[in-house]
Amino acid sequence: MTDFSNKVIYQIYPKSFNDSDGDGIGDLRGVTEKLDYLKDLGVDYLWLTPFFLSPQRDNGYDVADYRNIDPMFGTMEDLDNLIAESEKRNIGLMFDMVFNHTSTSHEWFRRALAGEKKYQDYYIFKEGSPNQPPTNWQSKFGGSAWEYVPSLSKWYLHLFDVTQADLNWENPEVKEELKEVIRFWKAKGVKGFRFDVVNLISKPEIWEDDFEGDGRRFYTDGPHVHEYLKELVHDTEIEEYVTVGEMSSTTLDHCIRYSGLEEKELSMCFNFHHLKVDYKNGNKWELMEPDYMELKALFEKWQTGMQIGNAWNALFWCNHDQPRIVSRLGNEEKYWKESAKMLAGMIHLMRGTPYIYQGEEIGMTNPHYTSIEQYVDVESRNYYEILLKEGKTKAEALEILAARSRDNSRTPMQWTDERYCGFSKTEPWIPVSDNFDKINVERQKQDKNSILKFYKKLIMLRKEKEVIAKGNIEFMETENADVLAYTRCLGKQQIFICCNFRGAESQMELTQEWMSGTKILGNYEVNHENNHGLLTLHPYEIIVLEKGED
Ligand code: GLC
């Protein structure tokens, strides 16, 4: 399989990236307009979240037609142009394949509802009485995972919103249909694919209630998932393409198989364990200070585990479902710049292919919404109601949303300090963050020490130094709760990375061999004090040292 170790991928949420036609919604032409910016940043691929025809109940993850573009994003001609212009700049496009479910507005589902047996078999319909869903499973967006259809006297499964019906991958016709979708986009010149919640596609043989959880242990990494993925990749001949699977609540062993070099499934996978270290008792809707020891343990487990398994990680902090990392693990105020850079370096220098989510490269923060009307996301709106029902006050529920909502990352990209932040000429579909006058691309272009420059440097370093792309990783200071430190090593090339999690000074031991290392990157312009092997790091400092032959 192709090696993607020195590539960097940039994620675009088209709805919030750049609005070219002034309707308040980002679009494909808006992406084309910004290709030079992305080229200058140095990224190799753009992953575009879904822009296919959709009722937008889940912002495009409810696909009504996999081969057509939703008019709000533009036309097929706009897309052809975007593909051609990207190619000219040697940037590959990756499309988002939502194959676990379709929108209930998809023709297949509509025909299923109209009584066509063929299309009922495309989904997971179960007989049952109206008061008794087939299992007690919960939807990931809250409420039951089953919906009753009186006209058919059947229930259908929806692991996400009620308008996102799960597809039946046991039906060979479904698999053939989905393969055709991939072939269609391949023929258009698409260079890679991201597969949405793809480890949920294989459902269990026995349907039973879950008395321990929400049902996920029965359908996550299901019985035939590896077989289905291999078949999909093989039959569409995308083995050499960049492919990344979004793996929900997965395990290391499964990810080794999904992205192992020998398996020929996917080139890499996303897992989310490191983004749950501030979930109290594993509950996203309960706030807690991040547990840094847990974060360290998870990185060590996954990084070294995937290395031993000869498998490949997708490295990321941010995406369209996650709050902004600088608001979460960094400090938005006093150490905004320092913490954004430190977090960038920490993740980019690990073993895997890094992803940058739009706006992360300028340290965009959560938008600080204060009223429920500002939220658009279906999950956030559902959970607001659930939290109130559970007895939280409105203020408490809003505080939780302000930290956890997926809308935190979906605010318009901050290009300038103009009204609507240079994203649009009209009021955007979702409110702009309150700090765009301070945090925007224009301003960082003028600043030699900007977060944007730091990201550029990280991307360049990955291309210059093979040790970053290919080196072995080993963690240090595993007992130190303030600092994360690791080395990468490839033959004689070695680098050392240490990061201070805290908004105060922290210390770590610097081993003899690293005392003479040369600093190649950092977020403070000072020479570090190294007092007989005790290294003192400034608040949120990152230091990268190098030794050996280049
Ligand atoms: C993935 C997407 C998310 C979407 C869900 C259902 O987690 O990233 O945005 O809501 O799948 O398709």
Side-chain angles (χ1 to χ4, degrees), residues 340-509:
K341 290 180 182 175
M342 180 278 286
L343 290 164
M346 183 193 293
I347 198 95
H348 272 245
L349 298 170
M350 287 190 194
R351 181 181 173 279
T353 299
Y355 284 67
I356 301 170
Y357 176 67
Q358 64 182 46
E360 183 181 345
E361 76 278 19
I362 54 166
M364 272 177 65
T365 67
N366 291 346
H368 317 113
Y369 290 166
T370 50
S371 106
I372 188 64
E373 277 70 49
Q374 291 170 293
Y375 291 93
V376 180
D377 176 29
V378 51
E379 183 197 46
S380 306
R381 287 188 159 251
N382 286 353
Y383 269 96
Y384 179 71
E385 296 302 329
I386 294 172
L387 290 168
L388 294 185
K389 275 202 200 98
E390 284 173 3
K392 296 262 187 311
T393 64
K394 284 188 179 169
E396 286 166 343
L398 285 171
E399 189 196 342
I400 295 175
L401 286 195
R404 295 292 149 84
S405 168
R406 306 194 299 177
D407 282 340
N408 281 314
S409 55
R410 299 176 180 183
T411 61
M413 174 75 183
Q414 293 164 206
W415 296 104
T416 67
D417 61 5
E418 289 158 285
R419 191 147 189 235
Y420 308 131
C421 59
F423 162 76
S424 177
K425 299 229 178 318
T426 351
E427 189 175 349
W429 67 278
I430 189 168
V432 171
S433 175
D434 58 0
N435 54 21
F436 69 95
D437 54 334
K438 178 180 145 218
I439 302 176
N440 62 63
V441 171
E442 205 51 47
R443 188 156 165 171
Q444 295 196 25
K445 278 188 181 160
Q446 322 295 328
D447 173 4
K448 278 209 295 292
N449 270 321
S450 65
I451 299 169
L452 183 61
K453 295 263 157 45
F454 194 84
Y455 271 87
K456 270 174 94 164
K457 180 95 195 261
L458 280 170
I459 298 170
M460 248 164 54
L461 278 176
R462 175 168 289 264
K463 309 219 171 281
E464 279 168 21
K465 298 195 184 292
E466 228 188 337
V467 61
I468 296 176
K470 297 205 165 65
N472 253 36
I473 192 161
E474 199 178 319
F475 285 83
M476 303 164 83
E477 292 278 308
T478 46
E479 301 301 317
N480 186 335
D482 303 320
V483 174
L484 181 112
Y486 57 92
T487 56
R488 304 287 311 278
C489 174
L490 184 72
K492 285 189 179 142
Q493 295 175 40
Q494 286 188 57
I495 57 167
F496 159 88
I497 297 98
C498 63
C499 305
N500 180 5
F501 288 125
R502 310 285 174 185
E505 285 189 349
S506 296
Q507 292 189 317
M508 69 167 286
E509 304 274 344

Side-chain angles (χ1 to χ4, degrees), residues 42 207-208 285 448 499 542:
W207 298 83
E208 55 190 308
W285 306 100
K448 278 209 295 292
C499 305
I542 177 169

Side-chain angles (χ1 to χ4, degrees), residues 58 61 98 101 141 160 164 194 196-197 246 320-321 406 410:
D58 187 21
Y61 282 92
V98 189
H101 43 264
F141 292 163
F160 294 87
Q164 291 166 302
R194 179 247 188 199
D196 189 60
V197 288
E246 184 199 25
H320 63 291
D321 295 329
R406 306 194 299 177
R410 299 176 180 183

Side-chain angles (χ1 to χ4, degrees), residues 74-239:
T75 61
M76 192 58 93
E77 205 186 327
D78 295 336
L79 183 65
D80 288 337
N81 189 40
L82 171 59
I83 297 174
E85 289 299 317
S86 306
E87 241 163 49
K88 274 190 206 157
R89 292 165 180 82
N90 208 12
I91 294 176
L93 294 186
M94 292 167 72
F95 284 4
D96 207 322
M97 299 288 107
V98 189
F99 285 173
N100 176 67
H101 43 264
T102 72
S103 162
T104 49
S105 304
H106 195 289
E107 191 196 342
W108 303 335
F109 196 82
R110 286 197 277 116
R111 295 177 74 166
L113 282 193
E116 285 188 52
K117 183 82 186 62
K118 170 181 158 91
Y119 290 104
Q120 285 173 12
D121 281 347
Y122 273 39
Y123 296 92
I124 300 170
F125 277 98
K126 297 274 171 221
E127 308 277 347
S129 84
N131 349 319
Q132 185 64 49
T135 66
N136 66 354
W137 299 358
Q138 294 296 296
S139 141
K140 295 196 187 257
F141 292 163
S144 170
W146 296 94
E147 180 72 7
Y148 190 66
V149 184
S151 61
L152 302 175
S153 306
K154 285 179 180 158
W155 295 84
Y156 70 86
L157 179 71
H158 62 90
L159 294 180
F160 294 87
D161 185 55
V162 62
T163 65
Q164 291 166 302
D166 280 57
L167 283 164
N168 173 18
W169 277 69
E170 276 176 32
N171 179 350
E173 282 180 73
V174 167
K175 293 190 282 181
E176 290 314 310
E177 297 264 18
L178 299 176
K179 287 175 202 167
E180 277 303 307
V181 174
I182 298 205
R183 292 185 189 114
F184 176 83
W185 290 118
K186 244 183 95 176
K188 283 259 177 207
V190 171
K191 295 288 185 279
F193 297 94
R194 179 247 188 199
F195 293 101
D196 189 60
V197 288
V198 76
N199 66 327
L200 311 185
I201 57 177
S202 172
K203 308 298 192 279
E205 266 133 47
I206 300 167
W207 298 83
E208 55 190 308
D209 282 342
D210 189 354
F211 298 110
E212 286 171 27
D214 62 4
R216 69 183 65 194
R217 65 197 172 101
F218 295 126
Y219 58 72
T220 302
D221 302 314
H224 301 289
V225 65
H226 295 284
E227 177 196 315
Y228 291 162
L229 273 176
K230 281 198 178 88
E231 180 185 327
L232 185 75
V233 167
H234 174 265
D235 290 4
T236 56
E237 298 175 70
I238 53 169
E239 289 97 334

